[in-house]
């Protein structure tokens, strides 16, 4: 499969997946205004070509926290990723190892963190939530430590799960047994179903020690409601004290919150609106990024996700102060469309686009891209 852009990959993925998971990946909260806003924000910026700059050598590798990244992006945590096709969690880990792109494993992964981390050379980060039962969170932190994970990503933008109309329509997080409509859709997506069912219906293996349901649909119904909605800054302090490694706080959209995260000891702040799956309408992440970068100063490491689809989006976000960006849905689509090979193809395709754009903008390294900043851009 040759990578010619994410639209094509998305189409193939949507053709392969049953409706339940197609909608789960594509959907957003309420009116899905934020999903669109995330994309539209990038369309307001153009990158100005420069000439005669000697761009015969362009390096796009960069360092972020403990990770030597081949390119300035990472694979963001995507719950139920292993439902994109059988073994998808491992495919992502292997692609991470082969491409040197970090992969953040979701709390809601089909395979256990221990098994994913066993993939040799994978650059794994572990995403966690603080659950109502702190013992679960404490155990997950210990598990990450025992797996040798150096960075925890604490997601803080999900005190509740808002209505996501597509999931609601499909009964996702509501039904504990597949409906007739779902069974029909599984039959239509027969290649997906054959691949999955041959191995038995998967469950969220990462949560299995905590008894949140016996089947995947039961777990889907229970797990999100176990995230503690009463979290405060005290809990972030608690978590910081529990975890000696690097800590990223994901889901920060306000400069004051970013300042507070750094004060509590976060090593990095991830500007994210969960890909438009939480507050709707929320601002696009690209629109709030500059204020957050300004609020925590040049030493603060800010990363962002939500709406990144092309190399130009990566360059635009970095020019506005993000150290790195995350890809959520593109990861899921690539795995659904063509497994590990398609994901590696997509990563290579994005790297090529970033290289092209940097060369045409007269920039030869990520360091120089950051130094040039918004002088590279023109608002249109
Ligand atoms: C997510 N995201 C997410 N984030 C997180 O911290 N833990 C999780 O388990 C999940 N699960 C999840 C499932 C699906 C299907 C999607 C699409 C997203 C959010 C994700 O990490 C990231 O913030 C967004 O996906 C970024 O937006 P784009 O790249 O999808 O536009």
């Amino acid at each position: 499969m040759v990578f010619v852009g994410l639209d094509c990959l998305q189409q193939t993925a949507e053709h392969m997946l049953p409706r339940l998971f197609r909608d789960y990946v594509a959907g957003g909260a309420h009116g899905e205004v934020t999903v669109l806003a995330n994309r539209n924000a990038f369309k307001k910026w153009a990158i100005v070509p420069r000439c005669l700059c000697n761009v015969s050598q362009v390096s796009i590798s960069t360092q972020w926290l403990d990770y030597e990244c081949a390119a300035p992006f990472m694979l963001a945590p995507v719950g139920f990723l292993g439902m994109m096709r059988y073994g998808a969690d491992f495919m992502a880990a292997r692609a991470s190892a082969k491409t040197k792109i970090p992969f953040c494993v979701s709390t809601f992964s089909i395979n256990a963190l221990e098994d994913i981390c066993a993939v040799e050379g994978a650059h794994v980060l572990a995403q966690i939530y603080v659950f109502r039962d702190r013992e679960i969170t404490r155990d997950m932190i210990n598990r990450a430590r025992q797996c040798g994970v150096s960075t925890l990503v604490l997601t803080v933008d999900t005190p509740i799960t808002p209505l996501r109309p597509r999931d609601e329509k499909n009964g996702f997080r509501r039904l504990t047994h597949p409906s007739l409509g779902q069974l029909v859709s599984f039959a239509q997506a027969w290649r997906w179903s054959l691949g999955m069912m041959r191995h038995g219906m998967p469950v969220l293996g990462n949560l299995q020690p905590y008894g949140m349901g016996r089947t995947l649909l039961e777990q889907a119904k229970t797990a999100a409601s176990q995230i503690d909605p009463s979290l405060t800054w005290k809990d972030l302090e608690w978590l910081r004290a529990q975890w000696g490694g690097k800590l990223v706080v994901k889901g920060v959209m306000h400069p004051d919150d970013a300042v507070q995260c750094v004060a509590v000891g976060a090593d990095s702040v991830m500007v994210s609106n969960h890909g438009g799956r939480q507050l709707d309408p929320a601002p696009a992440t690209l629109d709030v990024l500059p204020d957050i970068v300004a609020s925590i100063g040049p030493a603060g490491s800010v990363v962002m996700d939500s709406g990144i689809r092309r190399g130009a989006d990566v360059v635009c976000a970095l020019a506005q102060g993000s150290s790195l960006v995350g890809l959520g849905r593109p990861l899921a689509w690539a795995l659904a469309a063509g497994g590990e090979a398609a994901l590696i193809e997509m990563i290579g395709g994005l790297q090529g686009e970033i290289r092209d754009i940097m060369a045409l903008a007269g920039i030869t390294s990520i360091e120089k891209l950051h130094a040039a900043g918004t002088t590279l851009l023109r608002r249109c």
Side-chain angles (χ1 to χ4, degrees):
M1 184 176 291
V2 179
F3 177 76
V4 287
L6 281 160
D7 290 347
C8 196
L9 210 56
Q10 179 179 0
Q11 264 174 22
T12 313
E14 293 190 342
H15 182 68
M16 302 289 280
L17 290 170
R19 197 180 60 214
L20 186 70
F21 293 109
R22 184 168 67 224
D23 284 350
Y24 166 66
V25 172
H30 294 203
E32 300 190 347
V33 173
T34 311
V35 178
L36 266 184
N38 284 335
R39 281 303 301 135
N40 288 338
F42 287 100
K43 295 178 185 156
K44 292 185 284 196
W45 294 97
I47 300 164
V48 183
R50 297 297 302 269
C51 54
L52 306 173
C53 305
N54 184 5
V55 290
S56 49
Q57 303 284 335
V58 174
S59 163
I60 62 166
S61 61
T62 190
Q63 165 112 26
W64 176 60
L65 304 179
D66 291 336
Y67 301 87
E68 288 290 341
C69 312
F73 58 84
M74 64 181 268
L75 308 174
V78 171
F80 298 82
L81 186 70
M83 295 312 290
M84 296 303 105
R85 69 170 52 222
Y86 181 75
D89 287 327
F90 294 124
M91 291 172 181
R94 285 198 296 269
S96 158
K98 288 177 186 166
T99 60
K100 295 196 167 39
I101 294 294
F103 167 40
C104 186
V105 176
S106 163
T107 291
F108 300 143
S109 61
I110 296 296
N111 292 101
L113 181 68
E114 289 77 357
D115 297 334
I116 300 172
C117 286
V119 171
E120 209 181 319
H123 298 234
V124 169
L125 298 83
Q127 179 264 322
I128 60 161
Y129 292 109
V130 177
F131 286 105
R132 292 173 195 268
D133 179 350
R134 292 292 189 278
E135 283 314 308
I136 297 181
T137 306
R138 214 191 295 268
D139 187 58
M140 294 194 99
I141 295 170
N142 277 334
R143 286 171 57 198
R145 196 176 288 127
Q146 275 160 15
C147 289
V149 168
S150 74
T151 303
L152 269 194
V153 175
L154 173 70
T155 301
V156 292
D157 57 5
T158 51
I160 56 125
T161 305
L163 178 89
R164 295 177 187 157
R166 303 191 206 206
D167 287 347
E168 186 60 26
K169 206 172 79 202
N170 294 330
F172 193 57
R173 294 208 179 84
R174 190 161 47 76
L175 302 178
T176 50
H177 295 285
S179 65
L180 185 62
Q182 278 173 17
L183 291 174
V184 170
S185 151
F186 287 162
Q188 283 163 343
W190 58 271
R191 268 174 300 213
W192 178 91
S193 297
L194 279 182
M196 278 290 172
M197 307 302 174
R198 244 185 322 174
H199 307 273
M201 188 62 178
V203 292
L204 293 175
N206 208 33
L207 292 185
Q208 267 209 312
Y210 314 121
M212 293 190 196
R214 285 168 301 114
T215 65
L216 188 84
L217 290 180
E218 277 181 20
Q219 288 176 314
K221 189 170 176 193
T222 313
S225 65
Q226 295 306 307
I227 298 171
D228 192 344
S230 73
L231 282 201
T232 66
W233 293 102
K234 284 257 165 287
D235 298 288
L236 181 60
E237 282 169 23
W238 171 80
L239 191 115
R240 182 64 281 188
Q242 301 288 315
W243 175 253
K246 295 279 194 285
L247 179 64
V248 179
V249 183
K250 174 174 182 283
V252 175
M253 289 290 286
H254 194 289
D256 294 353
D257 291 344
V259 169
Q260 187 92 352
C261 286
V262 172
V264 175
D267 298 284
S268 179
V269 166
M270 187 160 205
V271 179
S272 173
N273 56 32
H274 221 94
R277 299 162 75 80
Q278 288 298 112
L279 201 161
D280 186 84
T285 48
L286 188 69
D287 289 341
V288 298
L289 176 69
D291 283 351
I292 292 181
V293 170
S295 73
I296 60 179
S301 162
V302 178
V303 292
M304 71 154 274
D305 72 16
S306 302
I308 303 280
R309 297 292 178 269
R310 301 226 69 122
D313 305 337
V314 181
V315 172
C316 183
L318 265 61
Q320 300 200 42
S322 188
S323 302
L324 192 98
V325 300
L327 305 168
R329 292 181 183 86
L331 162 66
W333 290 327
L335 290 170
E340 183 182 331
L343 179 56
I344 291 177
E345 201 67 57
M346 181 200 83
I347 289 170
L350 268 186
Q351 286 175 316
E353 288 190 359
I354 296 168
R355 236 181 252 113
D356 286 352
I357 286 165
M358 283 172 55
L360 294 170
I363 299 288
T364 53
S365 69
I366 298 299
E367 210 179 358
K368 287 180 180 156
L369 198 170
H370 279 132
T374 51
T375 61
L376 288 176
L377 307 178
R378 191 67 86 238
R379 216 179 156 93
C380 47

